[in-house]
Amino acid sequence: EPEVTQTPSHQVTQMGQEVILRCVPISNHLYFYWYRQILGQKVEFLVSFYNNEISEKSEIFDDQFSVERPDGSNFTLKIRSTKLEDSAMYFCASSSDSLVGTQYFGPGTRLLVL
Amino acid sequence: GDSVTQMEGPVTLSEEAFLTINCTYTATGYPSLFWYVQYPGEGLQLLLKATKADDKGSNKGFEATYRKETTSFHLEKGSVQVSDSAVYFCALTPRGSGNTGKLIFGQGTTLQVKP
């Protein structure tokens, strides 16, 4: 069964450093998403991506964040200058249909900012 | 804005007990509704979904019915197993023009089933 993969599984970084979280969505999917879950809190939407551009972003997704689909298979989330409060589990998801299609989630990347 | 509220956890049950996890939502229009499950150390997996009022989603013995009149989507299972121990998330996708399929999640309910 096809699956969404994410790398790395864990990332530790110093405050102010840039991090890139990588995702490989399911190959025939067209809609891509990033979510995050701060420890003990709910899963929050960050951004959706379709047709090589951002289709929606949340208030959390400020200028420090960016997404890219550089080569038609990878989907990346970059945080330019990490803050302590960026420490969270980041999930990538993909879907074949934006409204009723199932979103398939990756296993997540746990980011710890020191 | 749109939101989802789930019952507080953790929920602890004995094996073969009946499970109900309450979920209510606030949304404009008629969203699609989902239950996702997260097993320890894993990502979220879709458990079931319903896309219109009175639809019943079901999978692996779990069921939930889309109730427009009470804006609810409660999760039920007649007889839980130890292997059902996980965190359960209720979620919605707003409908209407400009919606991109983003999921809005409830806070999650931890279920622990004891032998």
Side-chain angles (χ1 to χ4, degrees):
Chain A
E1 184 176 325
E3 59 181 16
V4 177
T5 59
Q6 289 185 244
T7 54
S9 57
H10 294 80
Q11 173 103 38
V12 181
T13 190
Q14 296 292 321
M15 190 170 55
Q17 295 296 304
E18 175 184 285
V19 295
I20 298 176
L21 310 183
R22 291 184 166 80
C23 168
V24 179
I26 293 172
S27 61
N28 62 345
H29 285 182
L30 302 175
Y31 300 86
F32 312 109
Y33 307 86
W34 283 101
Y35 296 84
R36 80 172 185 189
Q37 185 180 27
I38 295 172
L39 191 63
Q41 298 185 24
K42 62 171 67 177
V43 178
E44 302 171 288
F45 167 77
L46 292 177
V47 66
S48 59
F49 192 86
Y50 171 71
N51 201 25
N52 279 322
E53 60 183 23
I54 290 174
S55 46
E56 187 175 359
K57 59 184 181 180
S58 71
E59 293 175 353
I60 303 166
F61 195 89
D62 60 23
D63 292 344
Q64 293 300 312
F65 291 87
S66 63
V67 288
E68 196 175 38
R69 190 156 158 79
D71 57 12
S73 61
N74 289 285
F75 180 49
T76 62
L77 174 69
K78 182 192 291 187
I79 309 175
R80 287 192 188 80
S81 179
T82 50
K83 308 184 192 71
L84 296 177
E85 55 264 36
D86 293 328
S87 296
M89 180 74 90
Y90 288 81
F91 293 106
C92 171
S94 70
S95 174
S96 60
D97 182 301
S98 67
L99 292 182
V100 299
T102 299
Q103 286 189 29
Y104 291 83
F105 283 76
T109 293
R110 184 168 294 286
L111 176 65
L112 178 60
V113 182
L114 302 176
Chain B
D2 298 344
S3 66
V4 176
T5 302
Q6 289 179 237
M7 63 186 288
E8 293 284 332
V11 174
T12 302
L13 296 173
S14 298
E15 208 164 21
E16 300 184 2
F18 184 85
L19 169 71
T20 299
I21 301 177
N22 290 337
C23 170
T24 57
Y25 66 89
T26 302
T28 52
Y30 302 105
S32 296
L33 301 175
F34 304 84
W35 277 99
Y36 277 82
V37 59
Q38 185 179 30
Y39 297 102
E42 298 184 15
L44 289 84
Q45 302 172 28
L46 179 70
L47 182 59
L48 53 84
K49 67 181 182 184
T51 57
K52 60 183 189 297
D54 299 325
D55 267 3
K56 179 186 280 188
S58 61
N59 186 26
K60 299 180 182 179
F62 291 90
E63 292 183 340
T65 301
Y66 190 141
R67 302 282 189 205
K68 186 179 66 167
E69 61 277 9
T70 54
T71 62
S72 65
F73 193 55
H74 304 321
L75 182 68
E76 296 182 336
K77 186 176 186 184
S79 176
V80 294
Q81 306 300 312
V82 172
S83 56
D84 294 327
S85 299
V87 182
Y88 292 81
F89 293 92
C90 186
L92 67 82
T93 293
R95 294 246 193 181
S97 63
N99 286 310
T100 61
K102 71 178 181 187
L103 286 164
I104 297 171
F105 286 91
Q107 63 267 44
T109 302
T110 299
L111 170 66
Q112 184 177 21
V113 180
K114 297 188 173 180

